Amino acid sequence: MPSNNPWSVQAIIDRIERENRQTADEPAAVGYSVRGLWSCYSDPGKLTAAQAHIAMQLHLECGVDTCLVRGRARTALVASGRMILDPRAARTPPTRRRSLFTLLRAAVFGYSTLLFGGRHALR
């Protein structure tokens, strides 16, 4: 008799097998290009789950509301089912307008991110 309990042994085994089938269909994260993921102000476009995982690691100190890459990566991980948000975090934040200072700072100091890797350079 099948149980509806998600914590039953059979439910856990089924979930692990389902996740293994999903990860077998996706290419490995090794060798993925991280081009376009360094700058917090550039929109990386649509990310795969593996690329989103790398982006989240690159932008550990960034906030989801302020960093476009981390926000896009979180959206990709939630859509793929790899991340489950707390109901308090699932609400949509109000749209924030960038201040003139933020735009000027990105224009003046943004070139260093392109040339030197900025604060997200590999350690």
Side-chain angles (χ1 to χ4, degrees):
M1 171 168 62
S3 173
N4 291 336
N5 184 3
W7 300 108
S8 69
V9 174
Q10 189 59 42
I12 293 172
I13 292 171
D14 292 341
R15 189 187 80 222
I16 291 171
E17 289 175 356
R18 186 173 56 247
E19 289 174 356
N20 286 339
R21 281 193 306 266
Q22 288 175 350
T23 56
D25 295 339
E26 294 179 7
V30 176
Y32 265 120
S33 172
V34 292
R35 186 173 310 193
L37 296 181
W38 295 106
S39 175
C40 294
Y41 302 108
S42 67
D43 188 12
K46 186 172 180 171
L47 299 172
T48 64
Q51 289 171 333
H53 183 72
I54 291 170
M56 291 291 271
Q57 289 177 345
L58 289 173
H59 293 269
L60 277 176
E61 61 271 355
C62 300
V64 178
D65 297 333
T66 57
C67 179
L68 291 176
V69 175
R70 189 166 173 92
R72 183 68 72 128
R74 182 175 102 170
T75 303
L77 289 173
V78 169
S80 68
R82 302 267 179 112
M83 179 186 281
I84 299 172
L85 296 178
D86 185 46
R88 294 173 290 176
R91 59 178 161 68
T92 57
T95 56
R96 295 179 49 193
R97 297 179 65 194
R98 288 196 180 163
S99 68
L100 180 61
F101 175 73
T102 303
L103 294 174
L104 287 173
R105 186 182 66 196
V108 172
F109 297 110
Y111 71 90
S112 66
T113 303
L114 295 174
L115 298 177
F116 306 115
R119 67 175 189 204
H120 301 296
L122 294 176
R123 293 165 174 65

